[in-house]
Amino acid sequence: MKASLLLIYTGGTIGMKQDPEDRTLKPFDFSGILDEVPELAKFALRIDAYTFDPLIDSSDVDPDTWIKLTHVIRDRYDDYDGFIVLHGTDTMAYSASALSFMLGNLAKPVVFTGSQLPIGVPRTDGKENLISAVEIAASRDAGGRPMVPEVCIYFNSHLLRGNRATKVSSEDFNAFQSPNCPVLAEAGIEIRYNRSEIRKAPQQHLPLTIQDRLDTRVSILKLHPGITPAVVRYFLLSPETRAVIIETYGSGNAPSQPWFLDIVAEADRMGKILVNVTQCQAGAVNMRIYANGKRLEDAGVVSGFDSTTESALGKLFVLLGRYQDNARVKELFQQELCGEITV
Ligand code: ASP
């Protein structure tokens, strides 16, 4: 029997065209994409499509979009061998991260892809991205199991783990990287899979579960020289948040001024979950290297290790949605749940 894939089209540059009036890029009807990529018909596959209505520029993606995506996948999970999500590049790493935590017992590929140039323009990167994403989502190992049973991003010849990826360029075709995690596959003449890095599907056949109760009371504070007490207080002590991701310097360092540490300690006393993620693209947080990091740890801040900010956000939304107890969230946040940190 032919393998079957579901192409979920959410929007993004891959399916946009220029508005003749204001010359901005706007999404167009999905049937246009299939017309533009007749190569898809050459695969011996059944490819069905699900189109979001309305189509969205991915800067409009929000947690409801993720919930909708998980529902589309859950409701059709048994009907398809794999899923491809066509998505704008701007927030693709956020969406792929969130879905990795929202889809439990995943045993089939969910491959996100998009493009830097619309699919209808001659030099588009969209065709190769889409065609290879299709091949990857349909590919099976010698035992007939899906080759990549996880949420990932395919872009510019590289398959990356979704919750390790980050957008690194607004212009280059090589727009995504996962600096703290080797690529899962690389497309050359053949698609070469890095099998030791690919997560295994659950041993027994467990039904897909979804975690669609998200608690979004999280904010992100990026430290910078000259940051003021008023700004730090606003982020860390706001009654609106349960958790704050602090984007720190280097290996997890922050100012040592008493005013800063006092606010951190007060937030900790209030029961806030404070998470330390480095601003560096590569490497991990280790709060025991420098005194300025150790002070944060002593004040109750927990390590995000080598997590991306995108992944820390999705992980917190899911954990907060699931547990009322902040201490439990802190504990689970520091554990590896689906390949998002190196332990
Ligand atoms: N603004 C677009 C989006 O993220 C950019 C892209 O698709 O590359 O939807």
Side-chain angles (χ1 to χ4, degrees), residues 173-341:
F173 286 149
N174 193 21
F176 288 89
Q177 284 175 14
S178 60
N180 287 329
C181 180
V183 298
L184 303 184
E186 201 167 342
I189 292 177
E190 289 181 355
I191 296 178
R192 287 182 301 276
Y193 292 93
N194 191 356
R195 287 174 180 240
S196 58
E197 292 298 330
I198 297 171
R199 280 174 67 75
K200 308 270 171 294
Q203 285 289 332
Q204 312 101 317
H205 179 73
L206 298 170
L208 181 79
T209 57
I210 62 161
Q211 168 62 46
D212 57 2
R213 202 169 348 106
L214 303 178
D215 183 342
T216 60
R217 288 176 289 167
V218 182
S219 65
I220 301 172
L221 172 66
K222 180 169 184 161
L223 298 182
H224 58 85
I227 197 164
T228 62
V231 168
V232 175
R233 215 175 284 119
Y234 179 80
F235 273 85
L236 264 51
L237 306 182
S238 162
E240 306 298 322
T241 54
R242 277 178 74 192
V244 184
I245 298 166
I246 307 175
E247 281 198 354
T248 58
Y249 306 124
S251 56
N253 304 311
S256 60
Q257 281 102 316
W259 67 261
F260 180 82
L261 293 168
D262 285 349
I263 299 170
V264 172
E266 190 178 342
D268 185 58
R269 272 196 303 279
M270 289 166 74
K272 304 272 187 199
I273 300 158
L274 304 180
V275 165
N276 188 342
V277 171
T278 177
Q279 293 178 16
C280 295
Q281 280 205 340
V285 162
N286 180 345
M287 290 186 273
R288 300 201 176 150
I289 300 179
Y290 294 97
N292 282 27
K294 182 78 174 61
R295 289 189 189 96
L296 280 188
E297 188 178 60
D298 292 344
V301 175
V302 298
S303 181
F305 303 101
D306 58 351
S307 175
T308 61
T309 297
E310 295 90 323
S311 168
L313 190 78
K315 189 171 178 179
L316 283 169
F317 281 3
V318 167
L319 290 176
L320 292 172
R322 187 148 188 192
Y323 301 99
Q324 286 314 308
D325 177 10
N326 282 5
R328 180 82 178 124
V329 172
K330 268 192 181 185
E331 186 188 318
L332 287 169
F333 183 83
Q334 294 172 85
Q335 295 174 18
E336 182 256 344
L337 303 181
C338 48
E340 76 282 8
I341 51 175

Side-chain angles (χ1 to χ4, degrees), residues 7-82:
L7 210 54
I8 306 170
Y9 175 41
T10 66
T13 296
I14 193 160
M16 289 187 180
K17 68 178 177 203
Q18 204 170 46
D19 183 318
E21 299 214 324
D22 65 7
R23 308 189 71 75
T24 60
L25 289 171
K26 293 190 175 143
F28 71 96
D29 181 2
F30 185 76
S31 54
I33 285 194
L34 292 180
D35 293 347
E36 296 290 346
V37 195
E39 293 86 346
L40 290 178
K42 295 185 183 161
F43 285 112
L45 296 170
R46 173 163 72 89
I47 304 178
D48 294 337
Y50 179 96
T51 306
F52 269 40
D53 183 17
L55 292 165
I56 48 173
D57 182 297
S58 82
S59 31
D60 282 323
V61 159
D62 63 12
D64 285 340
T65 315
W66 301 336
I67 292 169
K68 180 168 172 185
L69 271 171
T70 58
H71 288 181
V72 169
I73 292 171
R74 176 200 59 195
D75 295 347
R76 295 156 183 79
Y77 192 68
D78 294 334
D79 302 335
Y80 294 97
D81 298 301

